[in-house]
Amino acid sequence: MSWQGELHKVLSATYKNWIISKRNAFTLFELVFWPFIGLLSIGLLTRFLELGDDMVAFVLVGAIALSILQISQIDVAYILLFDLWSKSIKQTFVAPVRGYHLVLGAMLFGVIRGVAVFIVLAAASSHLFGFDFLAGGVATVIVFLAGTFLTAASIGMVVCISILLFGQRADVAAWTLSGIMMLVSGVYYPVSILPGPLQILSKSIPLTYLLEYYRSAYGYGDHQILLGIALALLYFMASLLILNLAIERARRTGMMLRLSE
Amino acid sequence: MPALRAEKICKSFKRLFQEKKVLFDISLSIERGEIFGILGPNGAGKTTLMSIFSTLIRPDGGSLEVLGRDALRDTHAIRERINISSGNPNFPWSLTVRENLRHSAMLYGLSGRSLHRSVEEAISAFELGPQSDAKFETLSTGQKQRVSLAKSILNRPQILFLDEPTSGLDPEMAMKTRDLIKKIYQEEEITVVLTTHYMPEAEELCDRIAFLREGRLVALGTPGELKRALQIGHRIFVEYDGEVDPLKLRIIPGVMEVKELSGRVEMVFDHSGRAVSSIIKAFEGADILDIGIEEPDLEDVFLELAR
Ligand SMILES: Nc1ncnc2c1ncn2[C@@H]1O[C@H](COP(=O)(O)OP(=O)(O)OP(=O)(O)O)[C@@H](O)[C@H]1O
Ligand SMILES: [Mg+2]
């Protein structure tokens, strides 16, 4: 297959996500309204608690990371969710596409939306709360976003995997997992205040390191970003591998047919 | 080399600790350039078999070769060269017909001008022009079926699997679809594997037919062979006035079955020749008002095999 062919297989998922987003009003909510509301309420909370600038930065970094993560993970999960809702999964998996085509294509759209959300939130937080989101330089932002997108893609893939293995409603389990992950990675507080066992768990989550990294630009001590990126890459590769296995398993169990009924 | 060779394909589905066997040791071979029909009652396993043949799902056992490749290992290369239109088809609801076809074409790696050409050709082949900018969710059943058929020719497949291609189509569109299947089959020399519940359609299109019942292959052959093998004879009825000796009817050469009604006799004859003159002789003394001969059709084969 030519490189154009490969490229278009990847872009097929981008194209589908784009059309569906373009056509649905909820996209605007996903992209602007909810992130903005989230940021605003957290920002106002910092005012009410009369937090200092460094604390405000700490909390806003968490709020921004959360919004980006949510929007780009759902884009990857949409690989299966859209097909699931319209019962068209067969059409995708009878075609000569592999897991990575779908993941990369959907991720591309997730990255575009994630960057858009970042820009909206960064502008809003700097305007409303005087938060300097570029304090660590452009490179810091890029590394932080790259790690966040990798993590988001892994979560999106876990949603797909759980649907392929356990059926229609199994995506709830995956969203629960991502909720727990957010709890222990210290979105709004340092992980040091977590109970011991949860702290150990937080060390296995890339988001923990990404947040520490971004926050280190605002005077919050050390970071281990290399470890964080390595973990994010590891989870990404592992999720992709397991996704492929889950697709093959769904072909053996007949789940592939049941999901299209 | 056949287009497809299946050897002892079996499949069962597990659901809540229950295992249900739906295909038992299916072995058959489909030649290149043939239109091959898979018939059978509801739940016989036709869709399951088509899904296995098109590599959407994997069999539990047996071997399968498609276009000369091992279909249990070389699935990706096979998917590039085949396509399927499934019965009761669905596509992403909020995409329009054209967007859905473009998306499908991209899944097959088409790009640029060849993508555009394939999509537009498929739209016109199945007369989807007026609906091309309508969202999939707003289409009628038959229009959805046509989108699925249009999608199935996008990548110019060498084998085309069609699961109930004309279900939900109005008679005119069904006829056009059959003509189109014949046309692409003749022009592109592709192999077509189809299922249908409409026997005249199978009779019109199929070179050979496999008959499934409860997951087993119970008959395989040309429509003519199936009729002969099952001894489904010609039905001849005679309407008459007067007296006829029932014994005389039962000794007419080739008669298999005699049913007497008042003023009417229905007989089934084998293929040893139509004994019209012997029939007329058997009715000597009575007045023959009408004689009719009905060719056996696949419907009879179906009813016989489904029993
Ligand atoms: N994914 C699945 N999981 C569990 N059982 C299934 C699945 N798909 C099919 N079956 C069962 O397998 C059997 C064969 O189904 P299949 O759809 O292949 O029949 P069919 O011949 O296509 O019937 P129809 O003429 O109604 O389309 C049925 O008993 C059905 O309930
Ligand atoms: Mg079926």
Side-chain angles (χ1 to χ4, degrees):
Chain A
M1 173 103 314
S2 65
W3 67 267
Q4 285 111 320
E6 282 288 300
L7 180 68
H8 275 73
K9 287 181 186 181
V10 168
L11 290 179
S12 68
T14 321
Y15 178 73
K16 187 167 75 179
N17 281 17
W18 177 63
I19 300 275
I20 294 178
S21 313
K22 175 176 93 166
R23 200 147 288 158
N24 284 294
F26 68 70
T27 306
L28 213 61
F29 281 79
E30 280 178 351
L31 209 54
V32 180
F33 187 72
W34 295 122
F36 185 73
I37 293 288
L39 184 87
L40 198 63
S41 43
I42 296 291
L44 290 175
L45 182 67
T46 64
R47 286 278 164 84
F48 171 62
L49 298 175
E50 297 177 356
L51 301 180
D53 280 353
D54 52 343
M55 286 281 225
V56 172
F58 186 99
V59 174
L60 288 181
V61 165
I64 292 176
L66 202 59
S67 284
I68 299 170
L69 197 68
Q70 271 162 351
I71 194 134
S72 46
Q73 75 189 16
I74 189 91
D75 266 309
V76 174
Y78 279 158
I79 292 173
L80 267 170
L81 289 179
F82 284 144
D83 273 345
L84 191 69
W85 295 330
S86 47
K87 303 174 192 297
S88 55
I89 282 184
K90 274 187 196 181
Q91 312 289 4
T92 303
F93 289 102
V94 83
V97 280
R98 297 179 196 274
Y100 71 81
H101 291 124
L102 301 173
V103 170
L104 291 180
M107 212 180 146
L108 176 60
F109 195 66
V111 167
I112 294 170
R113 295 217 300 171
V115 169
V117 167
F118 179 77
I119 291 170
V120 168
L121 294 186
S125 60
S126 116
H127 184 69
L128 297 172
F129 307 109
F131 170 57
D132 176 17
F133 56 92
L134 279 176
V138 177
T140 305
V141 171
I142 291 175
V143 171
F144 167 74
L145 287 180
T148 308
F149 292 141
L150 278 177
T151 308
S154 304
I155 299 171
M157 284 190 267
V158 172
V159 174
C160 297
I161 291 165
S162 52
I163 291 171
L164 287 169
L165 296 184
F166 308 113
Q168 294 270 5
R169 276 172 278 269
D171 60 325
V172 176
W175 296 124
T176 311
L177 197 74
S178 100
I180 293 171
M181 197 190 89
M182 283 164 198
L183 177 76
V184 299
S185 59
V187 174
Y188 294 124
Y189 39 78
V191 289
S192 56
I193 68 164
L194 290 170
L198 289 186
Q199 277 192 41
I200 297 170
L201 187 59
S202 76
K203 293 263 178 267
S204 65
I205 295 175
L207 187 59
T208 309
Y209 300 92
L210 295 167
L211 289 166
E212 277 175 4
Y213 172 66
Y214 201 172
R215 282 166 179 160
S216 71
Y218 300 90
Y220 284 94
D222 281 348
H223 63 78
Q224 293 170 283
I225 188 60
L226 285 182
L227 180 57
I229 293 289
L231 270 181
L233 268 174
L234 182 74
Y235 286 138
F236 180 81
M237 300 309 284
S239 309
L240 194 54
L241 189 77
I242 298 170
L243 177 65
N244 282 321
L245 294 175
I247 292 172
E248 288 314 308
R249 192 184 143 79
R251 293 187 196 279
R252 287 198 305 275
T253 58
M255 184 62 85
M256 203 63 98
L257 292 177
R258 239 168 292 154
L259 291 175
S260 318
E261 279 161 8
Chain B
M1 179 181 52
L4 183 152
R5 181 160 50 213
E7 200 111 12
K8 291 190 182 303
I9 294 284
C10 48
K11 183 78 200 166
S12 51
F13 290 119
K14 283 183 207 71
R15 218 164 187 180
L16 298 174
F17 312 110
Q18 270 190 22
E19 192 166 326
K20 184 177 180 194
K21 218 159 181 248
V22 296
L23 288 177
F24 298 81
D25 293 339
I26 305 287
S27 299
L28 56 84
S29 165
I30 299 173
E31 295 307 317
R32 280 188 192 237
E34 148 169 79
I35 300 188
F36 190 89
I38 300 175
L39 306 186
N42 292 131
K46 303 180 296 295
T47 299
T48 307
L49 191 60
M50 291 281 262
S51 304
I52 289 173
F53 284 172
S54 60
T55 77
L56 178 66
I57 65 171
R58 268 179 91 87
D60 299 340
S63 66
L64 177 64
E65 225 177 73
V66 178
L67 296 168
R69 290 167 194 264
D70 182 348
L72 304 186
R73 287 181 46 230
D74 227 356
T75 48
H76 212 71
I78 291 169
R79 283 179 205 138
E80 302 268 8
R81 293 169 180 77
I82 63 172
N83 211 324
I84 181 167
S85 166
S86 41
N88 187 16
N90 270 309
F91 286 87
W93 289 336
S94 56
L95 268 63
T96 66
V97 170
R98 182 174 277 109
E99 286 162 352
N100 264 311
L101 292 175
R102 289 184 69 86
H103 173 249
S104 294
M106 289 170 93
L107 287 173
Y108 284 85
L110 295 180
S111 61
R113 225 177 288 161
S114 66
L115 181 143
H116 181 77
R117 196 170 352 102
S118 303
V119 168
E120 297 309 317
E121 276 174 13
I123 285 176
S124 76
F126 290 95
E127 300 181 14
L128 284 162
Q131 287 83 37
S132 61
D133 293 320
K135 285 190 203 171
F136 187 78
E137 63 188 341
T138 65
L139 301 182
S140 74
T141 312
Q143 290 164 344
K144 287 179 179 168
Q145 182 71 266
R146 276 144 63 185
V147 174
S148 174
L149 290 165
K151 171 246 151 184
S152 74
I153 60 169
L154 285 173
N155 63 327
R156 300 184 170 276
Q158 292 170 32
I159 307 183
L160 185 54
F161 295 95
L162 304 173
D163 196 0
E164 301 189 25
T166 56
S167 84
L169 298 185
D170 62 55
E172 191 194 351
M173 198 61 216
M175 198 180 74
K176 280 185 183 160
T177 301
R178 280 192 290 278
D179 288 345
L180 202 85
I181 292 170
K182 277 191 270 187
K183 187 172 149 230
I184 50 178
Y185 156 79
Q186 279 155 4
E187 283 174 9
E188 318 264 337
E189 290 181 9
I190 67 176
T191 309
V192 179
V193 184
L194 63 87
T195 72
T196 180
H197 286 296
Y198 185 48
M199 292 305 123
E201 175 168 295
E203 191 138 28
E204 178 185 342
L205 290 176
C206 298
D207 299 312
R208 283 195 308 145
I209 285 167
F211 197 95
L212 293 187
R213 192 185 60 206
E214 290 168 8
R216 291 172 213 273
L217 182 66
V218 292
L220 177 67
T222 65
E225 283 168 356
L226 291 182
K227 288 177 211 165
R228 280 195 290 280
L230 288 170
Q231 301 228 318
I232 294 175
H234 305 273
R235 234 178 273 276
I236 298 184
F237 72 86
V238 179
E239 282 175 7
Y240 64 94
D241 211 10
E243 287 297 316
V244 173
D245 180 0
L247 274 179
K248 273 191 187 165
L249 298 178
R250 288 188 168 71
I251 56 166
I252 300 173
V255 76
M256 287 157 62
E257 221 183 289
V258 178
K259 204 159 116 195
E260 289 161 85
L261 308 156
S262 68
R264 182 183 164 98
V265 177
E266 287 177 11
M267 294 166 288
V268 179
F269 284 83
D270 68 13
H271 292 262
S272 57
R274 279 175 217 155
V276 180
S277 56
S278 334
I279 294 169
I280 293 172
K281 217 177 270 166
F283 281 85
E284 242 164 32
D287 211 2
I288 295 180
L289 304 174
D290 197 5
I291 293 189
I293 302 174
E294 283 168 23
E295 295 281 325
D297 57 20
L298 264 186
E299 199 96 29
D300 301 311
V301 175
F302 188 98
L303 295 173
E304 183 69 29
L305 284 171
R307 272 212 288 245

